[in-house]
Amino acid sequence: MKIPLSRIAHARSGDKGDTVNIGLITYQPGHYPLLVREVTPERVKAHFGELVKGSVVRYELPNLGALNFLLHEALGGGGTLSLRIDAQGKTFGAALLRMEIDAD
Amino acid sequence: MIRIANGQGFWGDWLEAPVRLVEQGPLDYLALDYLAEITMSIVQKQKQADPNLGYARDFPPLIARIAAPIRERGIQVIANAGGVNPVACAKQVRQLAPQLRVAVVLGDDLYDRIDEFLGRGYPMANMDTGEPLSAIRDRILSANAYIGAFPVAEALATGADVVIAGRCTDTALALAPMIHAFGWGPADYDRLAAGTVAGHIIECGSQTTGGNCQVNWQSIPNFANIGYPIVEAEPDGTFVVTKHAGTGGRIHSDVVKEQLLYELGDPRHYITPDCVADFTSIQLEDAGSDRVRVFGIRGGPRPPMLKVSISYAWGYKAIGALVYSWPEALEKAGAADRIVRERLCRLGLEFDEIYTEYFGVNACHGPAAPPVADPPEVQVRIGVRGQDRKAVDRFTREMAPLVLSGPPSATGFGDGRPAVREVVAYWPALLPRGEVTTRVEVVE
Protein backbone atom coordinates (compact mmCIF):
# COMPACT_ATOMS: atom_id res chain seq x y z
CA MET A 1 0.00 0.00 0.00
CA LYS A 2 1.35 3.43 -0.97
CA ILE A 3 1.05 6.24 1.55
CA PRO A 4 2.43 9.78 1.60
CA LEU A 5 5.40 10.22 3.92
CA SER A 6 3.45 13.00 5.67
CA ARG A 7 1.23 10.35 7.28
CA ILE A 8 4.04 8.89 9.40
CA ALA A 9 6.63 11.67 9.63
CA HIS A 10 7.20 15.39 10.02
CA ALA A 11 10.20 17.42 8.94
CA ARG A 12 12.15 20.67 9.26
CA SER A 13 14.70 21.94 6.79
CA GLY A 14 17.40 24.60 6.74
CA ASP A 15 20.57 25.64 4.96
CA LYS A 16 24.35 25.63 5.33
CA GLY A 17 25.79 27.44 2.34
CA ASP A 18 24.62 25.66 -0.81
CA THR A 19 23.53 22.58 1.17
CA VAL A 20 20.01 21.92 2.42
CA ASN A 21 19.50 19.76 5.47
CA ILE A 22 16.20 17.99 6.09
CA GLY A 23 15.43 16.42 9.45
CA LEU A 24 12.77 13.74 8.93
CA ILE A 25 11.11 12.50 12.11
CA THR A 26 8.62 9.68 12.72
CA TYR A 27 5.49 10.36 14.77
CA GLN A 28 5.64 6.79 16.14
CA PRO A 29 8.99 5.17 17.04
CA GLY A 30 7.69 1.92 15.51
CA HIS A 31 7.75 3.49 12.06
CA TYR A 32 11.50 4.19 12.18
CA PRO A 33 12.54 0.96 10.36
CA LEU A 34 10.04 1.80 7.61
CA LEU A 35 11.59 5.24 7.26
CA VAL A 36 15.08 3.73 7.03
CA ARG A 37 13.94 1.19 4.43
CA GLU A 38 11.89 3.52 2.23
CA VAL A 39 13.52 6.94 2.36
CA THR A 40 16.91 6.19 0.86
CA PRO A 41 19.32 8.90 -0.33
CA GLU A 42 18.76 7.72 -3.90
CA ARG A 43 14.99 8.17 -3.63
CA VAL A 44 15.39 11.60 -2.04
CA LYS A 45 17.73 12.67 -4.84
CA ALA A 46 15.22 11.47 -7.45
CA HIS A 47 12.32 13.16 -5.61
CA PHE A 48 13.93 16.60 -5.89
CA GLY A 49 15.19 16.07 -9.45
CA GLU A 50 16.86 19.10 -11.01
CA LEU A 51 16.58 21.08 -7.74
CA VAL A 52 19.50 19.10 -6.27
CA LYS A 53 22.64 19.17 -8.43
CA GLY A 54 24.96 17.39 -5.98
CA SER A 55 24.87 14.27 -3.83
CA VAL A 56 22.40 13.35 -1.09
CA VAL A 57 23.87 11.97 2.15
CA ARG A 58 21.78 10.34 4.87
CA TYR A 59 22.52 10.08 8.60
CA GLU A 60 20.57 7.95 11.07
CA LEU A 61 19.42 9.09 14.53
CA PRO A 62 17.55 6.10 15.96
CA ASN A 63 17.46 7.81 19.37
CA LEU A 64 15.12 10.43 17.91
CA GLY A 65 13.38 8.15 15.39
CA ALA A 66 14.82 10.47 12.78
CA LEU A 67 16.91 10.69 9.62
CA ASN A 68 19.01 13.68 8.62
CA PHE A 69 19.57 14.35 4.92
CA LEU A 70 22.17 16.64 3.43
CA LEU A 71 21.30 17.75 -0.11
CA HIS A 72 24.41 19.25 -1.68
CA GLU A 73 24.35 21.97 -4.35
CA ALA A 74 20.65 22.41 -3.78
CA LEU A 75 20.20 26.18 -3.38
CA GLY A 76 21.54 27.70 -6.59
CA GLY A 77 24.74 28.84 -4.91
CA GLY A 78 23.22 29.26 -1.47
CA GLY A 79 22.87 32.17 0.90
CA THR A 80 23.11 35.53 -0.81
CA LEU A 81 24.10 34.06 -4.19
CA SER A 82 20.86 32.19 -4.68
CA LEU A 83 18.23 33.56 -7.07
CA ARG A 84 15.50 31.34 -5.64
CA ILE A 85 12.56 32.48 -3.58
CA ASP A 86 13.37 29.69 -1.10
CA ALA A 87 17.06 30.57 -0.88
CA GLN A 88 17.35 29.01 2.59
CA GLY A 89 15.65 25.72 1.75
CA LYS A 90 12.92 26.34 4.33
CA THR A 91 10.27 24.47 2.33
CA PHE A 92 12.33 21.40 1.37
CA GLY A 93 11.09 19.55 4.48
CA ALA A 94 7.47 19.91 3.42
CA ALA A 95 8.41 18.93 -0.15
CA LEU A 96 9.97 15.69 1.10
CA LEU A 97 6.72 14.79 2.91
CA ARG A 98 5.01 14.58 -0.50
CA MET A 99 6.99 11.43 -1.25
CA GLU A 100 4.92 8.26 -1.64
CA ILE A 101 6.30 5.26 0.24
CA ASP A 102 5.42 1.58 0.37
CA ALA A 103 3.86 0.97 3.80
CA ASP A 104 3.62 -2.84 3.58
CA MET B 1 19.62 24.77 38.75
CA ILE B 2 19.95 27.85 36.55
CA ARG B 3 17.46 29.23 34.02
CA ILE B 4 18.79 30.37 30.65
CA ALA B 5 16.41 31.86 28.10
CA ASN B 6 16.80 32.81 24.45
CA GLY B 7 14.94 35.99 23.51
CA GLN B 8 16.21 36.57 20.00
CA GLY B 9 16.83 33.92 17.35
CA PHE B 10 18.26 36.30 14.75
CA TRP B 11 18.68 40.02 14.10
CA GLY B 12 15.15 40.94 13.12
CA ASP B 13 13.36 38.59 15.51
CA TRP B 14 10.38 39.77 17.61
CA LEU B 15 11.42 42.88 19.55
CA GLU B 16 8.99 42.17 22.41
CA ALA B 17 10.29 38.66 23.13
CA PRO B 18 13.21 39.58 25.45
CA VAL B 19 11.06 42.09 27.33
CA ARG B 20 8.35 39.50 27.91
CA LEU B 21 10.88 36.88 29.01
CA VAL B 22 12.09 39.24 31.72
CA GLU B 23 8.58 40.31 32.76
CA GLN B 24 6.68 37.02 32.65
CA GLY B 25 8.64 34.70 34.95
CA PRO B 26 11.88 33.69 36.67
CA LEU B 27 15.18 33.91 34.77
CA ASP B 28 18.92 33.92 35.55
CA TYR B 29 20.46 34.46 32.11
CA LEU B 30 19.04 35.97 28.92
CA ALA B 31 20.82 34.96 25.69
CA LEU B 32 20.26 36.96 22.50
CA ASP B 33 21.55 35.72 19.14
CA TYR B 34 22.04 38.41 16.50
CA LEU B 35 24.53 37.07 14.00
CA ALA B 36 23.99 35.06 10.86
CA GLU B 37 26.75 34.21 8.40
CA ILE B 38 26.02 37.24 6.30
CA THR B 39 25.44 39.73 9.11
CA MET B 40 29.16 40.29 9.67
CA SER B 41 29.62 41.82 6.22
CA ILE B 42 26.69 44.19 6.77
CA VAL B 43 28.05 45.47 10.07
CA GLN B 44 31.54 45.70 8.59
CA LYS B 45 30.25 48.05 5.88
CA GLN B 46 28.48 50.13 8.52
CA LYS B 47 31.73 50.42 10.49
CA GLN B 48 33.64 51.49 7.38
CA ALA B 49 31.11 54.28 6.87
CA ASP B 50 31.11 55.30 10.56
CA PRO B 51 33.73 54.00 13.06
CA ASN B 52 31.13 54.26 15.85
CA LEU B 53 28.89 51.68 14.18
CA GLY B 54 29.32 48.03 13.17
CA TYR B 55 27.06 46.25 15.67
CA ALA B 56 23.39 45.24 16.04
CA ARG B 57 21.79 48.64 16.46
CA ASP B 58 18.56 47.21 17.89
CA PHE B 59 20.44 45.93 20.91
CA PRO B 60 21.26 49.05 23.01
CA PRO B 61 17.66 50.40 22.97
CA LEU B 62 16.38 46.93 23.90
CA ILE B 63 18.74 46.78 26.88
CA ALA B 64 17.58 50.25 27.94
CA ARG B 65 14.00 48.90 28.06
CA ILE B 66 14.93 46.03 30.41
CA ALA B 67 17.76 47.71 32.34
CA ALA B 68 15.84 48.19 35.58
CA PRO B 69 14.47 44.64 36.01
CA ILE B 70 17.70 42.87 34.98
CA ARG B 71 19.70 45.01 37.41
CA GLU B 72 17.22 44.44 40.26
CA ARG B 73 16.90 40.70 39.71
CA GLY B 74 20.51 39.99 38.78
CA ILE B 75 19.72 38.64 35.31
CA GLN B 76 22.86 38.59 33.16
CA VAL B 77 22.36 39.26 29.44
CA ILE B 78 24.65 37.53 26.92
CA ALA B 79 24.56 38.61 23.28
CA ASN B 80 26.68 38.39 20.15
CA ALA B 81 25.33 41.82 19.25
CA GLY B 82 28.83 43.31 19.07
CA GLY B 83 29.31 42.46 15.41
CA VAL B 84 32.67 43.90 14.36
CA ASN B 85 32.58 46.66 16.98
CA PRO B 86 31.68 45.27 20.43
CA VAL B 87 33.28 48.22 22.25
CA ALA B 88 31.14 50.77 20.38
CA CYS B 89 28.09 48.64 21.11
CA ALA B 90 29.00 48.52 24.82
CA LYS B 91 29.50 52.29 24.94
CA GLN B 92 26.08 52.84 23.42
CA VAL B 93 24.51 50.49 25.99
CA ARG B 94 26.26 52.44 28.78
CA GLN B 95 25.02 55.69 27.35
CA LEU B 96 21.40 54.53 27.29
CA ALA B 97 21.60 52.55 30.56
CA PRO B 98 24.38 54.07 32.70
CA GLN B 99 23.51 51.94 35.73
CA LEU B 100 24.58 48.72 33.96
CA ARG B 101 28.00 47.08 34.02
CA VAL B 102 29.02 45.92 30.56
CA ALA B 103 31.81 43.51 29.54
CA VAL B 104 32.97 42.77 26.01
CA VAL B 105 34.67 39.70 24.55
CA LEU B 106 37.33 40.63 21.99
CA GLY B 107 39.68 38.77 19.70
CA ASP B 108 37.37 37.18 17.12
CA ASP B 109 37.91 39.94 14.54
CA LEU B 110 40.73 38.84 12.21
CA TYR B 111 40.11 41.35 9.40
CA ASP B 112 43.46 43.11 9.97
CA ARG B 113 45.42 39.87 10.31
CA ILE B 114 44.58 38.10 7.03
CA ASP B 115 47.90 38.90 5.34
CA GLU B 116 49.78 37.81 8.44
CA PHE B 117 48.08 34.39 8.28
CA LEU B 118 48.54 33.98 4.51
CA GLY B 119 52.18 35.06 4.89
CA ARG B 120 52.73 32.36 7.48
CA GLY B 121 51.46 29.72 5.09
CA TYR B 122 47.87 29.15 6.25
CA PRO B 123 45.88 28.77 3.01
CA MET B 124 42.50 29.43 4.73
CA ALA B 125 41.01 27.47 1.85
CA ASN B 126 37.25 27.52 1.33
CA MET B 127 35.92 24.55 3.31
CA ASP B 128 33.30 23.86 0.63
CA THR B 129 35.31 24.30 -2.57
CA GLY B 130 38.97 23.95 -1.51
CA GLU B 131 39.94 27.21 -3.25
CA PRO B 132 42.76 29.14 -1.52
CA LEU B 133 41.84 32.47 0.10
CA SER B 134 44.38 34.29 -2.08
CA ALA B 135 41.85 33.97 -4.95
CA ILE B 136 39.58 36.56 -3.29
CA ARG B 137 42.08 38.40 -1.07
CA ASP B 138 41.36 41.88 -2.45
CA ARG B 139 37.59 41.45 -2.13
CA ILE B 140 37.40 40.44 1.56
CA LEU B 141 34.92 42.48 3.62
CA SER B 142 35.14 40.77 7.01
CA ALA B 143 36.91 37.87 8.74
CA ASN B 144 35.92 36.56 12.16
CA ALA B 145 36.84 33.43 14.06
CA TYR B 146 33.98 31.59 15.72
CA ILE B 147 34.92 31.70 19.37
CA GLY B 148 33.44 29.43 22.00
CA ALA B 149 31.84 29.64 25.41
CA PHE B 150 34.90 29.87 27.70
CA PRO B 151 35.78 33.51 26.93
CA VAL B 152 32.09 34.39 27.33
CA ALA B 153 32.04 32.62 30.72
CA GLU B 154 35.12 34.64 31.68
CA ALA B 155 33.16 37.82 30.88
CA LEU B 156 30.23 36.62 33.03
CA ALA B 157 32.70 36.15 35.90
CA THR B 158 33.40 39.88 35.93
CA GLY B 159 29.88 40.31 37.29
CA ALA B 160 28.79 42.35 34.29
CA ASP B 161 25.05 42.82 33.78
CA VAL B 162 25.54 42.63 30.02
CA VAL B 163 28.14 40.60 28.12
CA ILE B 164 28.65 41.59 24.50
CA ALA B 165 30.57 39.35 22.11
CA GLY B 166 31.29 39.52 18.41
CA ARG B 167 31.32 36.31 16.40
CA CYS B 168 30.92 33.74 19.15
CA THR B 169 28.95 30.63 18.29
CA ASP B 170 25.21 30.67 18.83
CA THR B 171 25.47 27.70 21.18
CA ALA B 172 28.11 29.44 23.32
CA LEU B 173 25.50 31.97 24.48
CA ALA B 174 23.74 29.22 26.46
CA LEU B 175 26.76 27.07 27.32
CA ALA B 176 28.72 29.98 28.83
CA PRO B 177 26.39 30.47 31.84
CA MET B 178 26.64 26.74 32.62
CA ILE B 179 30.45 26.88 32.54
CA HIS B 180 30.32 29.99 34.71
CA ALA B 181 27.77 28.71 37.24
CA PHE B 182 28.83 25.08 37.46
CA GLY B 183 32.60 25.43 37.04
CA TRP B 184 32.85 23.05 34.09
CA GLY B 185 36.30 22.71 32.52
CA PRO B 186 37.54 22.08 28.96
CA ALA B 187 37.79 18.32 29.64
CA ASP B 188 34.17 17.94 30.85
CA TYR B 189 33.31 16.66 27.38
CA ASP B 190 29.87 15.21 28.10
CA ARG B 191 28.72 18.26 30.05
CA LEU B 192 30.04 20.70 27.46
CA ALA B 193 28.25 18.66 24.80
CA ALA B 194 25.04 18.80 26.86
CA GLY B 195 25.30 22.58 27.21
CA THR B 196 25.98 22.83 23.48
CA VAL B 197 22.87 20.78 22.69
CA ALA B 198 20.88 23.02 25.04
CA GLY B 199 22.25 26.01 23.16
CA HIS B 200 21.29 24.47 19.81
CA ILE B 201 17.75 23.80 21.06
CA ILE B 202 17.14 27.42 22.10
CA GLU B 203 19.34 29.37 19.65
CA CYS B 204 16.48 29.90 17.18
CA GLY B 205 14.13 31.26 19.83
CA SER B 206 10.50 30.31 19.32
CA GLN B 207 11.36 27.71 16.68
CA THR B 208 11.56 25.34 19.67
CA THR B 209 8.34 26.50 21.35
CA GLY B 210 5.98 25.79 18.47
CA GLY B 211 7.00 28.25 15.79
CA ASN B 212 7.58 26.79 12.29
CA CYS B 213 6.44 23.41 13.62
CA GLN B 214 4.68 20.92 11.36
CA VAL B 215 3.13 18.83 14.13
CA ASN B 216 -0.55 19.83 14.38
CA TRP B 217 0.35 23.45 13.81
CA GLN B 218 -3.30 24.51 13.79
CA SER B 219 -3.65 23.29 17.38
CA ILE B 220 -0.67 25.24 18.75
CA PRO B 221 -2.18 27.90 21.03
CA ASN B 222 -1.70 31.63 20.97
CA PHE B 223 1.09 32.25 18.46
CA ALA B 224 0.60 35.99 19.02
CA ASN B 225 1.86 35.64 22.59
CA ILE B 226 4.32 32.80 21.92
CA GLY B 227 6.70 32.07 24.79
CA TYR B 228 10.41 31.94 24.03
CA PRO B 229 12.45 28.97 25.24
CA ILE B 230 14.04 28.52 28.64
CA VAL B 231 16.54 25.85 29.63
CA GLU B 232 16.57 24.75 33.27
CA ALA B 233 20.13 23.45 33.49
CA GLU B 234 21.56 21.16 36.18
CA PRO B 235 25.23 20.85 37.13
CA ASP B 236 25.29 17.23 35.87
CA GLY B 237 24.50 18.31 32.29
CA THR B 238 20.86 17.27 32.23
CA PHE B 239 18.31 19.95 31.50
CA VAL B 240 14.63 20.70 30.92
CA VAL B 241 13.39 22.80 27.99
CA THR B 242 10.38 24.89 28.96
CA LYS B 243 8.80 28.36 28.70
CA HIS B 244 7.05 30.78 31.04
CA ALA B 245 3.59 29.73 32.26
CA GLY B 246 0.70 31.47 30.54
CA THR B 247 2.55 32.15 27.28
CA GLY B 248 1.54 30.83 23.87
CA GLY B 249 3.13 28.08 21.81
CA ARG B 250 3.93 24.50 22.77
CA ILE B 251 6.93 22.56 24.00
CA HIS B 252 6.78 18.86 23.29
CA SER B 253 9.41 16.28 22.35
CA ASP B 254 8.18 16.36 18.71
CA VAL B 255 8.84 20.09 18.55
CA VAL B 256 12.24 19.77 20.20
CA LYS B 257 13.20 17.01 17.75
CA GLU B 258 12.49 19.30 14.79
CA GLN B 259 14.78 21.95 16.26
CA LEU B 260 17.50 19.41 17.16
CA LEU B 261 17.68 18.45 13.48
CA TYR B 262 17.56 22.04 12.23
CA GLU B 263 20.72 22.98 10.29
CA LEU B 264 22.38 19.77 11.47
CA GLY B 265 25.24 18.11 9.57
CA ASP B 266 26.83 14.83 10.69
CA PRO B 267 24.91 14.12 13.92
CA ARG B 268 27.83 12.27 15.55
CA HIS B 269 30.16 15.22 15.05
CA TYR B 270 28.49 18.53 15.90
CA ILE B 271 31.67 20.57 16.01
CA THR B 272 32.03 23.73 18.10
CA PRO B 273 35.10 25.52 19.51
CA ASP B 274 34.22 23.96 22.92
CA CYS B 275 33.61 20.28 22.15
CA VAL B 276 32.25 17.81 19.60
CA ALA B 277 28.71 16.79 20.55
CA ASP B 278 27.14 13.46 19.57
CA PHE B 279 23.50 14.06 18.67
CA THR B 280 22.87 10.30 18.43
CA SER B 281 23.26 10.14 22.22
CA ILE B 282 20.47 12.63 23.02
CA GLN B 283 17.52 11.26 24.98
CA LEU B 284 14.22 13.17 25.28
CA GLU B 285 11.36 12.65 27.70
CA ASP B 286 8.11 14.59 27.96
CA ALA B 287 7.99 15.67 31.60
CA GLY B 288 4.69 17.46 32.03
CA SER B 289 2.95 20.30 30.26
CA ASP B 290 5.39 22.31 28.10
CA ARG B 291 8.37 20.53 29.64
CA VAL B 292 10.86 18.23 27.88
CA ARG B 293 13.70 16.63 29.81
CA VAL B 294 16.97 16.09 27.91
CA PHE B 295 19.69 13.71 29.12
CA GLY B 296 22.27 11.09 28.16
CA ILE B 297 24.35 13.42 25.99
CA ARG B 298 27.93 12.45 25.15
CA GLY B 299 30.72 14.51 23.68
CA GLY B 300 34.38 14.56 22.75
CA PRO B 301 37.30 16.99 22.94
CA ARG B 302 37.32 20.32 21.15
CA PRO B 303 38.91 20.44 17.68
CA PRO B 304 42.43 21.84 17.10
CA MET B 305 41.16 24.26 14.43
CA LEU B 306 38.72 27.13 14.68
CA LYS B 307 36.29 27.97 11.91
CA VAL B 308 36.69 31.43 10.43
CA SER B 309 33.75 33.21 8.82
CA ILE B 310 34.95 35.37 5.92
CA SER B 311 32.73 37.49 3.71
CA TYR B 312 33.72 38.97 0.36
CA ALA B 313 32.27 41.04 -2.45
CA TRP B 314 31.11 38.60 -5.12
CA GLY B 315 29.21 40.73 -7.66
CA TYR B 316 25.61 41.72 -8.30
CA LYS B 317 22.15 40.27 -8.69
CA ALA B 318 18.60 41.36 -9.44
CA ILE B 319 15.28 39.55 -9.41
CA GLY B 320 12.33 40.79 -11.43
CA ALA B 321 8.75 39.53 -11.43
CA LEU B 322 5.49 39.81 -13.36
CA VAL B 323 2.10 38.26 -12.69
CA TYR B 324 -0.02 36.68 -15.43
CA SER B 325 -3.68 35.87 -14.88
CA TRP B 326 -5.93 33.10 -16.18
CA PRO B 327 -6.37 31.80 -18.80
CA GLU B 328 -3.15 29.97 -19.75
CA ALA B 329 -1.28 31.88 -17.02
CA LEU B 330 1.58 29.40 -16.89
CA GLU B 331 2.02 29.37 -20.68
CA LYS B 332 2.08 33.18 -20.72
CA ALA B 333 4.66 33.24 -17.93
CA GLY B 334 6.80 30.77 -19.85
CA ALA B 335 6.54 32.89 -22.98
CA ALA B 336 7.59 35.99 -21.01
CA ASP B 337 10.67 34.14 -19.78
CA ARG B 338 11.67 33.18 -23.34
CA ILE B 339 11.22 36.78 -24.54
CA VAL B 340 13.39 38.22 -21.75
CA ARG B 341 16.12 35.64 -22.34
CA GLU B 342 16.12 36.28 -26.09
CA ARG B 343 16.38 40.04 -25.56
CA LEU B 344 19.23 39.63 -23.03
CA CYS B 345 21.01 37.37 -25.49
CA ARG B 346 20.65 39.84 -28.36
CA LEU B 347 22.03 42.60 -26.14
CA GLY B 348 25.11 40.43 -25.73
CA LEU B 349 24.80 40.44 -21.95
CA GLU B 350 26.46 37.62 -20.04
CA PHE B 351 25.55 36.39 -16.61
CA ASP B 352 26.85 33.79 -14.21
CA GLU B 353 23.28 32.50 -13.95
CA ILE B 354 19.78 33.30 -15.17
CA TYR B 355 17.17 31.51 -13.07
CA THR B 356 13.43 31.43 -13.65
CA GLU B 357 10.75 30.13 -11.34
CA TYR B 358 6.97 30.09 -11.44
CA PHE B 359 5.61 31.25 -8.11
CA GLY B 360 2.26 29.62 -7.40
CA VAL B 361 3.16 26.55 -9.43
CA ASN B 362 6.42 24.93 -8.31
CA ALA B 363 8.88 27.62 -7.16
CA CYS B 364 9.27 26.06 -3.72
CA HIS B 365 8.98 22.33 -4.38
CA GLY B 366 10.29 22.02 -7.93
CA PRO B 367 9.68 18.61 -9.50
CA ALA B 368 8.17 17.34 -6.22
CA ALA B 369 5.13 19.57 -6.74
CA PRO B 370 2.21 18.00 -8.63
CA PRO B 371 1.18 19.68 -11.90
CA VAL B 372 -1.41 22.47 -11.57
CA ALA B 373 -4.13 22.62 -14.24
CA ASP B 374 -4.59 26.17 -15.56
CA PRO B 375 -3.98 28.11 -12.29
CA PRO B 376 -5.84 31.42 -11.67
CA GLU B 377 -2.57 33.34 -11.68
CA VAL B 378 1.17 32.76 -11.88
CA GLN B 379 4.09 34.99 -10.98
CA VAL B 380 7.16 34.58 -13.15
CA ARG B 381 10.33 35.48 -11.27
CA ILE B 382 13.50 35.89 -13.29
CA GLY B 383 16.79 36.38 -11.46
CA VAL B 384 20.23 37.16 -12.86
CA ARG B 385 23.60 37.14 -11.14
CA GLY B 386 26.92 38.35 -12.51
CA GLN B 387 30.13 40.25 -11.89
CA ASP B 388 29.20 43.05 -14.32
CA ARG B 389 26.99 45.61 -12.60
CA LYS B 390 26.02 47.22 -15.91
CA ALA B 391 24.68 43.94 -17.30
CA VAL B 392 22.62 43.30 -14.16
CA ASP B 393 21.33 46.86 -14.27
CA ARG B 394 20.32 46.47 -17.93
CA PHE B 395 18.36 43.34 -17.05
CA THR B 396 16.25 45.31 -14.55
CA ARG B 397 14.84 47.30 -17.48
CA GLU B 398 13.70 44.21 -19.37
CA MET B 399 10.70 43.15 -17.26
CA ALA B 400 8.25 46.07 -17.38
CA PRO B 401 8.23 46.40 -21.22
CA LEU B 402 6.59 42.96 -21.40
CA VAL B 403 3.38 44.43 -20.05
CA LEU B 404 2.85 46.08 -23.43
CA SER B 405 4.95 43.90 -25.69
CA GLY B 406 4.31 40.33 -24.55
CA PRO B 407 1.50 37.92 -23.72
CA PRO B 408 -1.79 39.42 -22.43
CA SER B 409 -3.02 40.12 -18.89
CA ALA B 410 0.31 40.91 -17.23
CA THR B 411 0.29 42.85 -13.97
CA GLY B 412 2.13 43.13 -10.65
CA PHE B 413 4.86 45.56 -11.73
CA GLY B 414 3.70 48.38 -9.43
CA ASP B 415 6.97 48.58 -7.49
CA GLY B 416 8.88 49.66 -10.57
CA ARG B 417 12.02 48.02 -11.86
CA PRO B 418 13.85 45.68 -9.51
CA ALA B 419 16.85 46.86 -7.49
CA VAL B 420 20.40 45.80 -8.29
CA ARG B 421 21.78 44.25 -5.13
CA GLU B 422 25.41 43.74 -4.22
CA VAL B 423 26.13 40.08 -3.52
CA VAL B 424 28.34 39.43 -0.51
CA ALA B 425 29.39 35.80 -0.42
CA TYR B 426 30.48 33.65 2.48
CA TRP B 427 33.85 31.88 2.72
CA PRO B 428 34.25 29.38 5.57
CA ALA B 429 37.87 28.54 6.44
CA LEU B 430 39.94 26.97 9.21
CA LEU B 431 42.75 28.33 11.36
CA PRO B 432 44.72 26.73 14.22
CA ARG B 433 43.07 27.86 17.45
CA GLY B 434 46.38 29.03 18.89
CA GLU B 435 46.33 31.91 16.40
CA VAL B 436 43.23 33.40 18.00
CA THR B 437 43.62 35.09 21.39
CA THR B 438 40.51 36.32 23.14
CA ARG B 439 40.33 38.84 25.96
CA VAL B 440 37.63 40.36 28.14
CA GLU B 441 37.29 44.06 28.87
CA VAL B 442 34.89 45.82 31.20
CA VAL B 443 33.62 48.99 29.55
CA GLU B 444 33.26 51.79 32.07
Side-chain angles (χ1 to χ4, degrees), chain A residues 85, chain B residues 323 330 357-364 377-381:
Chain A
I85 195 157
Chain B
V323 172
L330 184 54
E357 56 190 6
Y358 300 96
F359 181 80
V361 179
N362 58 6
C364 288
E377 64 231 3
V378 171
Q379 185 189 54
V380 54
R381 285 168 49 97

Side-chain angles (χ1 to χ4, degrees), chain B residues 381-424:
Chain B
R381 285 168 49 97
I382 306 176
V384 303
R385 185 181 66 229
Q387 313 275 340
D388 180 1
R389 181 170 192 137
K390 282 183 183 152
V392 175
D393 186 71
R394 187 66 181 79
F395 156 78
T396 66
R397 296 161 186 274
E398 288 298 327
M399 295 300 286
L402 286 179
V403 175
L404 302 185
S405 65
S409 62
T411 186
F413 51 91
D415 293 334
R417 66 189 175 96
V420 175
R421 283 183 284 168
E422 288 180 50
V423 176
V424 174

Side-chain angles (χ1 to χ4, degrees), chain A residues 9-18 21-27 46-51 59-70 76-77 79-86 90-98, chain B residues 37-38 128 207-208 211-215 254-255 257-267 279-284 307 314 317-319 353-355 357 359 363-370 381 383-385 423-425:
Chain A
H10 55 112
R12 179 173 293 184
S13 55
D15 67 316
K16 269 278 186 285
D18 201 15
N21 109 285
I22 306 176
L24 181 68
I25 308 150
T26 52
Y27 287 109
H47 183 70
F48 284 99
E50 66 204 25
L51 230 42
Y59 296 100
E60 298 179 11
L61 295 98
N63 54 318
L64 302 178
L67 298 173
N68 185 35
F69 294 90
L70 297 186
T80 51
L81 287 167
S82 179
L83 299 171
R84 293 194 189 162
I85 195 157
D86 189 14
K90 298 276 186 191
T91 69
F92 275 62
L96 180 57
L97 297 181
R98 291 178 178 279
Chain B
E37 287 170 351
I38 215 61
D128 297 330
Q207 211 174 216
T208 208
N212 188 27
C213 178
Q214 292 192 341
V215 185
D254 284 343
V255 188
K257 282 178 194 172
E258 282 196 16
Q259 181 54 25
L260 277 171
L261 286 148
Y262 182 64
E263 292 184 348
L264 183 65
D266 173 358
F279 275 44
T280 66
S281 65
I282 300 169
Q283 301 297 319
L284 302 179
K307 190 169 167 182
W314 186 93
K317 73 174 181 182
I319 298 167
E353 187 182 10
I354 305 176
Y355 188 78
E357 56 190 6
F359 181 80
C364 288
H365 289 184
R381 285 168 49 97
V384 303
R385 185 181 66 229
V423 176
V424 174

Side-chain angles (χ1 to χ4, degrees), chain B residues 321-361:
Chain B
L322 279 177
V323 172
Y324 286 92
S325 86
W326 183 93
E328 296 104 28
L330 184 54
E331 288 85 339
K332 292 170 189 167
D337 177 51
R338 287 191 297 277
I339 295 163
V340 169
R341 284 173 185 259
E342 185 177 336
R343 287 178 173 176
L344 293 176
C345 183
R346 285 176 188 229
L347 285 166
L349 302 176
E350 287 183 12
F351 300 97
D352 179 66
E353 187 182 10
I354 305 176
Y355 188 78
T356 306
E357 56 190 6
Y358 300 96
F359 181 80
V361 179

Side-chain angles (χ1 to χ4, degrees), chain B residues 52-95:
Chain B
N52 295 314
L53 295 179
Y55 56 87
R57 274 189 278 182
D58 289 345
F59 180 72
L62 165 70
I63 294 303
R65 282 180 72 188
I66 57 175
I70 64 171
R71 187 85 184 105
E72 280 160 26
R73 290 162 53 195
I75 299 169
Q76 286 184 288
V77 176
I78 311 145
N80 54 10
V84 292
N85 206 348
V87 172
C89 183
K91 285 181 174 165
Q92 187 62 20
V93 169
R94 291 270 302 141
Q95 188 162 350

Side-chain angles (χ1 to χ4, degrees), chain A residues 1-10 27-28 31 97 99-101 103:
Chain A
M1 183 183 58
K2 293 274 187 194
I3 59 164
L5 197 45
S6 58
R7 199 169 297 168
I8 64 161
H10 55 112
Y27 287 109
Q28 306 291 337
H31 283 141
L97 297 181
M99 182 188 279
E100 297 266 315
I101 61 163

Side-chain angles (χ1 to χ4, degrees), chain B residues 2 148-151 153-154 172 174-185 192 274:
Chain B
I2 57 172
F150 281 92
E154 194 188 322
L175 173 58
M178 300 184 206
I179 292 171
H180 169 60
F182 303 143
W184 294 348
L192 294 175
D274 306 303

